[in-house]
Amino acid sequence: MEHDDKSGGRDVRTVRAGRRTIEVHRPDKVLFPPDEDGGGKEYTKADLVAYYRSVAASMLPHLRGRPLMLERHPDGVNGPLFMQNNTPAHYPEWITRVEVPKEDGTVCHTVCDDSATLAFLADQACLTLHRWLARREQFDRPDLMVFDLDPADTSRDGFGTVREAARWLGELLGELRLPSVLMTTGSRGLHVVVPLNGRHGFDEVRAFARDAAELLVAEHPDRLTTAARKQDRGDRLYLDIQRNAYAQTAVAPFTVRARPGAPVAVPITWEQLDDPGPRRWTIANAADQARARPWSGITGRGRALGPARRRLGALRGS
């Protein structure tokens, strides 16, 4: 249900999200303009809100309980960018917050537990939601491990290199008996995500991810690297495991990216790895992928790393 109110100079549209009514201010404001050559579709704030309402049921299980870093673009993708960790005092009291320690104090992160919060954040021109890999109940023990496959700027075959690396990583994780899932990032790469049981600290998870990545690099030294500095990578794909650290974040499933055409980071099946390109899903069609439930039956079974660590040690020693 939507309602426009332009009385008194206000440009507001109200939408229903769960049990709440959310005001969308300046709904016709363009956040994603057409391409410079005039091609491509433009998307407004109303479009962004409508998209997030359409995928809320699929997206919220990946957000609930997780501290968020919010990427806001009040003037659209061509305007200033604000990375927001602390929850502003003016946010409604019904929005969940969580206080987490940092080096010199604490941070009060926003948590998106319901569709009303998701719609409210879209009204704040929050295009991209970056989530913690741990939940508020155990913010120091991640229940996800993420490998970010980032192709080199000079890579000749682009996404082909990403597909290749994803298959190698998927095969290795299979040998370690760790179920894994794939997600496009809405940019050039992929995330390979492993559900964990939440009993390991960040340092242990990151060390495991580093050892697994280094094993793959040793097997494919001309194609892969774990070098953090770009100038050390050459044409090799970067296996980034740095997101597996305290207070680091990864883009959330079904979140919109601040790039022309409003691409979306979407979960995919391993069979969809051969589909054309990482940006085929946008806010115009990502809801169809959400309804297909590509991760069904996988993400609810988090694994312990102990047995996988022993198998990885045996592979590294062989």
Short mmCIF file of all heavy atoms in Angstrom, two decimals, residues 213-237:
data_model
loop_
_atom_site.label_atom_id
_atom_site.label_comp_id
_atom_site.label_asym_id
_atom_site.label_seq_id
_atom_site.Cartn_x
_atom_site.Cartn_y
_atom_site.Cartn_z
N ALA A 213 43.60 -20.86 1.25
CA ALA A 213 43.92 -20.03 0.09
C ALA A 213 45.37 -20.24 -0.35
O ALA A 213 45.66 -20.34 -1.55
CB ALA A 213 43.68 -18.55 0.42
N GLU A 214 46.27 -20.34 0.60
CA GLU A 214 47.68 -20.53 0.24
C GLU A 214 47.93 -21.90 -0.39
O GLU A 214 48.81 -22.03 -1.25
CB GLU A 214 48.55 -20.33 1.49
CG GLU A 214 48.63 -18.86 1.91
CD GLU A 214 49.47 -18.65 3.15
OE1 GLU A 214 49.83 -19.65 3.82
OE2 GLU A 214 49.75 -17.47 3.48
N LEU A 215 47.16 -22.91 0.01
CA LEU A 215 47.27 -24.21 -0.64
C LEU A 215 46.87 -24.10 -2.11
O LEU A 215 47.55 -24.64 -3.00
CB LEU A 215 46.40 -25.24 0.08
CG LEU A 215 46.36 -26.64 -0.55
CD1 LEU A 215 47.76 -27.25 -0.61
CD2 LEU A 215 45.41 -27.55 0.24
N LEU A 216 45.78 -23.38 -2.39
CA LEU A 216 45.35 -23.21 -3.78
C LEU A 216 46.38 -22.40 -4.58
O LEU A 216 46.65 -22.70 -5.74
CB LEU A 216 44.00 -22.50 -3.84
CG LEU A 216 42.75 -23.35 -3.62
CD1 LEU A 216 41.51 -22.50 -3.84
CD2 LEU A 216 42.73 -24.55 -4.54
N VAL A 217 46.95 -21.38 -3.95
CA VAL A 217 47.96 -20.57 -4.63
C VAL A 217 49.18 -21.43 -4.97
O VAL A 217 49.76 -21.32 -6.06
CB VAL A 217 48.36 -19.37 -3.77
CG1 VAL A 217 49.60 -18.68 -4.34
CG2 VAL A 217 47.21 -18.37 -3.69
N ALA A 218 49.57 -22.31 -4.05
CA ALA A 218 50.72 -23.19 -4.31
C ALA A 218 50.45 -24.12 -5.48
O ALA A 218 51.35 -24.48 -6.24
CB ALA A 218 51.05 -24.00 -3.06
N GLU A 219 49.17 -24.51 -5.66
CA GLU A 219 48.80 -25.39 -6.77
C GLU A 219 48.66 -24.64 -8.08
O GLU A 219 48.82 -25.23 -9.16
CB GLU A 219 47.49 -26.12 -6.43
CG GLU A 219 47.61 -27.09 -5.27
CD GLU A 219 46.28 -27.70 -4.88
OE1 GLU A 219 45.24 -27.21 -5.38
OE2 GLU A 219 46.26 -28.67 -4.08
N HIS A 220 48.34 -23.34 -8.02
CA HIS A 220 48.10 -22.54 -9.23
C HIS A 220 48.81 -21.20 -9.10
O HIS A 220 48.17 -20.13 -9.15
CB HIS A 220 46.59 -22.33 -9.44
CG HIS A 220 45.78 -23.58 -9.40
ND1 HIS A 220 45.69 -24.45 -10.47
CD2 HIS A 220 45.04 -24.13 -8.40
CE1 HIS A 220 44.90 -25.46 -10.14
NE2 HIS A 220 44.50 -25.31 -8.90
N PRO A 221 50.13 -21.20 -8.96
CA PRO A 221 50.85 -19.95 -8.69
C PRO A 221 50.79 -18.92 -9.80
O PRO A 221 50.98 -17.72 -9.55
CB PRO A 221 52.29 -20.44 -8.46
CG PRO A 221 52.38 -21.74 -9.21
CD PRO A 221 51.02 -22.37 -9.07
N ASP A 222 50.53 -19.35 -11.03
CA ASP A 222 50.45 -18.40 -12.14
C ASP A 222 49.08 -17.77 -12.29
O ASP A 222 48.92 -16.80 -13.04
CB ASP A 222 50.83 -19.10 -13.45
CG ASP A 222 52.27 -19.59 -13.46
OD1 ASP A 222 53.10 -18.96 -12.77
OD2 ASP A 222 52.54 -20.61 -14.13
N ARG A 223 48.09 -18.32 -11.57
CA ARG A 223 46.71 -17.86 -11.73
C ARG A 223 46.16 -17.17 -10.48
O ARG A 223 45.26 -16.34 -10.59
CB ARG A 223 45.80 -19.04 -12.08
CG ARG A 223 46.21 -19.82 -13.30
CD ARG A 223 45.98 -19.03 -14.57
NE ARG A 223 44.58 -18.97 -14.91
CZ ARG A 223 44.08 -18.19 -15.86
NH1 ARG A 223 44.88 -17.40 -16.56
NH2 ARG A 223 42.78 -18.20 -16.13
N LEU A 224 46.70 -17.54 -9.30
CA LEU A 224 46.13 -17.05 -8.05
C LEU A 224 47.21 -16.43 -7.18
O LEU A 224 48.39 -16.75 -7.30
CB LEU A 224 45.48 -18.20 -7.27
CG LEU A 224 44.44 -19.06 -7.99
CD1 LEU A 224 43.99 -20.20 -7.10
CD2 LEU A 224 43.25 -18.21 -8.43
N THR A 225 46.76 -15.54 -6.26
CA THR A 225 47.69 -14.94 -5.31
C THR A 225 46.93 -14.56 -4.04
O THR A 225 45.71 -14.34 -4.07
CB THR A 225 48.36 -13.68 -5.89
OG1 THR A 225 49.28 -13.15 -4.92
CG2 THR A 225 47.34 -12.61 -6.24
N THR A 226 47.67 -14.49 -2.93
CA THR A 226 47.12 -13.94 -1.69
C THR A 226 47.81 -12.63 -1.33
O THR A 226 47.68 -12.14 -0.21
CB THR A 226 47.30 -14.94 -0.52
OG1 THR A 226 48.67 -15.31 -0.42
CG2 THR A 226 46.44 -16.18 -0.73
N ALA A 227 48.53 -12.05 -2.29
CA ALA A 227 49.24 -10.79 -2.04
C ALA A 227 48.25 -9.65 -1.84
O ALA A 227 47.42 -9.37 -2.70
CB ALA A 227 50.17 -10.47 -3.21
N ALA A 228 48.32 -8.99 -0.69
CA ALA A 228 47.38 -7.93 -0.37
C ALA A 228 47.64 -6.67 -1.20
O ALA A 228 46.72 -5.92 -1.51
CB ALA A 228 47.44 -7.60 1.12
N ARG A 229 48.88 -6.42 -1.58
CA ARG A 229 49.22 -5.22 -2.35
C ARG A 229 49.00 -5.46 -3.84
O ARG A 229 49.50 -6.43 -4.39
CB ARG A 229 50.66 -4.80 -2.08
CG ARG A 229 50.94 -4.54 -0.61
CD ARG A 229 52.23 -3.76 -0.35
NE ARG A 229 53.29 -4.00 -1.30
CZ ARG A 229 54.37 -3.24 -1.43
NH1 ARG A 229 54.48 -2.17 -0.66
NH2 ARG A 229 55.32 -3.53 -2.28
N LYS A 230 48.27 -4.54 -4.47
CA LYS A 230 47.93 -4.71 -5.88
C LYS A 230 49.16 -4.84 -6.76
O LYS A 230 49.17 -5.61 -7.72
CB LYS A 230 47.06 -3.55 -6.36
CG LYS A 230 45.59 -3.70 -6.07
CD LYS A 230 44.76 -2.72 -6.86
CE LYS A 230 43.28 -3.01 -6.70
NZ LYS A 230 42.45 -2.11 -7.54
N GLN A 231 50.18 -4.09 -6.44
CA GLN A 231 51.36 -4.11 -7.30
C GLN A 231 52.09 -5.45 -7.25
O GLN A 231 52.96 -5.73 -8.09
CB GLN A 231 52.32 -2.97 -6.94
CG GLN A 231 52.75 -2.95 -5.48
CD GLN A 231 51.90 -2.03 -4.64
OE1 GLN A 231 50.68 -2.00 -4.79
NE2 GLN A 231 52.54 -1.27 -3.76
N ASP A 232 51.76 -6.28 -6.27
CA ASP A 232 52.40 -7.59 -6.15
C ASP A 232 51.59 -8.70 -6.82
O ASP A 232 52.02 -9.85 -6.84
CB ASP A 232 52.61 -7.95 -4.67
CG ASP A 232 53.56 -7.01 -3.97
OD1 ASP A 232 54.43 -6.44 -4.66
OD2 ASP A 232 53.44 -6.84 -2.73
N ARG A 233 50.43 -8.38 -7.37
CA ARG A 233 49.53 -9.42 -7.89
C ARG A 233 49.74 -9.70 -9.38
O ARG A 233 49.48 -10.82 -9.83
CB ARG A 233 48.06 -9.03 -7.66
CG ARG A 233 47.69 -8.84 -6.21
CD ARG A 233 46.25 -8.38 -6.10
NE ARG A 233 45.98 -7.80 -4.79
CZ ARG A 233 44.89 -7.09 -4.50
NH1 ARG A 233 43.97 -6.88 -5.44
NH2 ARG A 233 44.71 -6.61 -3.30
N GLY A 234 50.15 -8.72 -10.12
CA GLY A 234 50.25 -8.92 -11.55
C GLY A 234 48.89 -9.20 -12.16
O GLY A 234 47.90 -8.52 -11.86
N ASP A 235 48.82 -10.22 -13.03
CA ASP A 235 47.56 -10.58 -13.67
C ASP A 235 46.80 -11.67 -12.91
O ASP A 235 45.81 -12.19 -13.41
CB ASP A 235 47.83 -11.10 -15.09
CG ASP A 235 48.33 -10.00 -16.02
OD1 ASP A 235 48.03 -8.82 -15.75
OD2 ASP A 235 49.03 -10.32 -16.98
N ARG A 236 47.27 -11.98 -11.73
CA ARG A 236 46.66 -13.09 -10.98
C ARG A 236 45.43 -12.65 -10.19
O ARG A 236 45.32 -11.50 -9.76
CB ARG A 236 47.69 -13.69 -10.02
CG ARG A 236 48.88 -14.34 -10.72
CD ARG A 236 49.95 -14.74 -9.72
NE ARG A 236 50.54 -13.58 -9.06
CZ ARG A 236 51.43 -13.65 -8.08
NH1 ARG A 236 51.80 -14.85 -7.62
NH2 ARG A 236 51.92 -12.55 -7.53
N LEU A 237 44.50 -13.58 -10.00
CA LEU A 237 43.31 -13.32 -9.20
C LEU A 237 43.69 -13.30 -7.73
O LEU A 237 44.45 -14.16 -7.25
CB LEU A 237 42.25 -14.39 -9.46
CG LEU A 237 40.95 -14.26 -8.66
CD1 LEU A 237 39.74 -14.55 -9.54
CD2 LEU A 237 40.94 -15.20 -7.44
#
